[in-house]
Amino acid sequence: MISTNLYNNLEFNDDKPAVSVLLQTAFSKEIRVLLKKGQSMKEHKAPKPIVIEIFEGEIDFGVEGTTHTLKKGDLLTLDSNVPHDLFAKIDSIVRLTLSIQDSVERVEHVIE
């Protein structure tokens, strides 16, 4: 068993979103992204399907040119290779589930 808490050690960065690995399983990587109001992740694609859950806050989530407002409790999936971006309307905590075959470094390269 692996256990962690999404709310432990919350450290927002002033200049860019904070990305941290919460845990890794045999099939996934659970990532926490902390975004201060106004921070964003530029448009990018994931090589495998992803799951995104908003634990706190509110973000604009752009998918192929359409913006969707996501709030606390919203959960979505996105197929691989779909262009998307994020913008924090208020301070936000986002959980991102990646395939074990995907890399955290890829996520870190799209933060602004």
Side-chain angles (χ1 to χ4, degrees):
M1 182 175 103
I2 303 171
S3 177
T4 190
N5 187 301
L6 192 72
Y7 297 103
N8 285 348
N9 303 314
L10 296 178
E11 296 181 24
F12 287 82
N13 289 331
D14 288 331
D15 56 337
K16 62 183 179 178
V19 177
S20 59
V21 178
L22 294 171
L23 56 89
Q24 183 170 311
T25 71
F27 58 88
S28 72
K29 295 175 186 171
E30 302 300 328
I31 310 298
R32 179 180 64 196
V33 181
L34 303 175
L35 300 108
K36 279 191 153 185
K37 179 181 178 180
Q39 291 180 340
S40 62
M41 295 178 74
K42 63 186 175 185
E43 186 177 75
H44 60 284
K45 299 175 186 177
K48 302 286 182 183
I50 60 173
V51 177
I52 296 171
E53 183 174 2
I54 310 305
F55 271 82
E56 296 290 341
E58 183 175 338
I59 66 168
D60 281 339
F61 188 79
V63 180
E64 297 181 312
T66 301
T67 301
H68 306 270
T69 298
L70 303 177
K71 298 178 181 177
K72 181 178 180 176
D74 286 340
L75 179 71
L76 66 91
T77 64
L78 202 59
D79 287 331
S80 59
N81 298 310
V82 175
H84 60 282
D85 60 84
L86 291 80
F87 175 81
K89 296 174 86 170
I90 60 176
D91 291 356
S92 300
I93 301 172
V94 177
R95 183 179 129 215
L96 169 63
T97 301
L98 301 177
S99 164
I100 192 67
Q101 299 162 342
D102 201 348
S103 79
V104 177
E105 292 77 22
R106 180 192 61 75
V107 176
E108 292 171 337
H109 282 82
V110 298
I111 59 176
E112 299 181 321

